[in-house]
Amino acid sequence: MTASAADRARYDRATAHLDAPLAIVDLAAFDANAGDLVRRAGGKPVRVASKSVRCRALLERVLARDGFAGVMSFTLAESLWLARSGFDDVLLAYPSADRAGYAELAADPELAAAVTVTVDDPAQLDLIDAARGGGREVVRVCLELDTSLRLLGGRVRVGARRSPLHSPAGIAGLARAVARRPGFRVVGIMAYEGHVAGVGDAVAGRPLRSRAVRLMQAAARRELAERRAEAVRAVRALVPDLEFVNGGGTGSVQHTAAEDAVTEIAAGSGLYLPRLFDHYTSFGGRPAALFAQPVVRRPGVGAVTVLGGGYPASGPAGADRLPQPYLPPGLRYDPREGAGEVQTPLLGAVADDLRIGDRVWFRHAKAGELCERFDALHLVEGDAVTATVPTYRGEGRAFL
């Protein structure tokens, strides 16, 4: 029996008492992936990205391991909820316009001590001040450095459009503005190199493109390492007690950890290992998060139809954003229908071996977005479900 066939049989046995659709996390794979992130971080703590997990029980599980410390959150409401739930080190990695949330933060000393907010513009400080109401707690601030690679005098940009603070002088200028402003304290710097951490460099069947990505990423790493170090020096000259410098992502852990200026690494997707992380030369892993859809029709030879499954991932629309029919291997979408809202036809010779009620196991293209589709994750150990835990959705929380 092949490894994939053994996994399929194991997942089918573990969930035989449950009705599909359903979602699972294979704890052996999850834990192995967590161990690999720690290994690649080379002794620097890994801050777990909550948007890639979206399940409090699994956030707690990974933070209980040596090598992980702190949460990187994605909305202010989520940050406050996590802090009230006992997470005492929460970095909100995206600027917010949540006025009610800022009023709550500024009024509560425990929340203000646990949550750090990211800013890259003085106007964001104005918004926070206007939202304070009577709250007088000092707001912990992280400054974000833009990591994009700029070529040909800035006419070519490679990387996400995030912070406007690209130069060391620019981020130091904001640090100086925060220092002059009562009610705020700079405690950290973050810089997410998505064009390195989130872009695969070994695309199947595309050797020239893959080589071009590797060359781009090598150049981007060199340029960013030098600029990030300079930016950190400039900010530390103003804020000697800076607590952290955060960088990286699942695809760049070991490269970012090698920079002396970086004190911690951010990662999350590598715990579940969704399909977009299949195409990297720098690391591997085991798919840990899957969902199953039941076969409900057999419309003809070489075809079955499963219930639902149209769960596209965020990002530029394309085939790579669709879930992957994973187990049994050999199934593909009908190009005229794709992944459907209510039904999804799947084609392939293996379809003739599937019966009504059998399961097809899928991998989502991204990590935590899977949890927006399911109220619960069934945790599998061996060939048994040993626990069922709520996702954010299952706890009635939909932050974005």
Side-chain angles (χ1 to χ4, degrees), residues 131-364:
R132 282 178 182 271
R136 297 185 177 181
E137 295 299 324
V138 172
V139 175
R140 292 166 53 86
V141 168
C142 174
L143 309 178
E144 181 168 5
L145 177 71
D146 173 57
T147 65
S148 63
L149 176 64
R150 299 183 182 183
L151 305 171
L152 301 177
R155 293 191 297 276
V156 175
R157 175 195 181 109
V158 181
R161 296 183 182 276
R162 290 177 62 110
S163 170
L165 304 174
H166 188 77
S167 69
I171 198 169
L174 184 56
R176 192 175 295 108
V178 175
R180 290 197 299 260
R181 194 159 183 155
F184 296 92
R185 181 163 67 94
V186 174
V187 298
I189 297 172
M190 71 163 289
Y192 171 58
E193 54 269 41
H195 50 302
V196 179
V199 178
D201 64 349
V203 183
R206 305 286 296 276
L208 294 180
R209 175 179 172 80
S210 298
R211 177 166 174 75
V213 169
R214 288 194 290 273
L215 290 172
M216 175 276 291
Q217 290 179 339
R221 288 196 301 268
R222 289 192 298 270
E223 186 275 336
L224 178 59
E226 181 177 336
R227 181 161 52 88
R228 179 156 41 198
E230 187 178 345
V232 171
R233 285 194 296 271
V235 173
R236 284 196 185 278
L238 301 166
V239 188
D241 58 346
L242 196 70
E243 295 177 14
F244 65 86
V245 177
N246 180 283
T250 289
S252 69
V253 171
Q254 65 270 41
H255 301 299
T256 307
E259 296 182 32
D260 290 339
V262 174
T263 66
E264 64 175 39
I265 309 301
S269 294
L271 296 169
Y272 287 169
L273 203 71
R275 64 173 296 201
L276 283 178
F277 285 86
D278 283 349
H279 307 301
Y280 287 77
T281 58
S282 60
F283 78 101
R286 295 170 56 189
L290 307 172
F291 66 93
Q293 303 295 112
V295 173
V296 293
R297 287 177 169 166
R298 291 172 49 87
V301 174
V304 292
T305 301
V306 298
L307 182 68
Y311 308 156
S314 59
D320 65 341
R321 302 289 152 162
L322 296 178
Q324 175 193 30
Y326 179 56
L327 300 173
L331 293 170
R332 65 185 186 278
Y333 292 114
D334 182 332
R336 294 169 296 181
E337 297 195 49
E341 176 187 10
V342 177
Q343 69 167 34
T344 297
L346 297 170
L347 309 179
V350 70
D352 294 331
D353 297 327
L354 295 173
R355 300 167 296 174
I356 299 296
D358 283 353
R359 286 158 187 187
V360 175
W361 294 90
F362 291 78
R363 296 171 66 200
H364 204 278

Side-chain angles (χ1 to χ4, degrees), residues 18-112:
L18 301 170
D19 286 329
L22 59 87
I24 67 167
V25 170
D26 183 329
L27 288 180
F30 181 89
D31 290 344
N33 292 339
D36 186 63
L37 289 173
V38 170
R39 177 190 62 78
R40 291 197 288 135
K44 293 186 177 178
V46 178
R47 184 180 292 272
V48 61
S50 63
K51 77 178 181 65
S52 299
V53 179
R54 303 194 202 196
C55 172
R56 281 198 300 167
L58 290 175
L59 289 173
E60 290 167 353
R61 182 184 183 92
V62 75
L63 286 170
R65 298 178 61 98
D66 290 341
F68 285 86
V71 175
M72 176 178 281
S73 59
F74 60 98
T75 74
L76 182 54
E78 180 211 14
S79 305
L80 301 177
W81 177 62
L82 290 175
R84 291 200 183 281
S85 300
F87 295 85
D88 61 3
D89 180 6
V90 182
L91 168 61
L92 172 58
Y94 306 86
S96 176
D98 180 353
R99 291 174 172 82
Y102 282 129
E104 186 178 351
L105 178 68
D108 189 316
E110 292 186 0
L111 293 179

Side-chain angles (χ1 to χ4, degrees), residues 107-128:
D108 189 316
E110 292 186 0
L111 293 179
V115 175
T116 301
V117 303
T118 292
V119 301
D120 55 34
D121 190 315
Q124 295 155 352
L125 303 176
D126 294 339
L127 187 149
I128 296 170

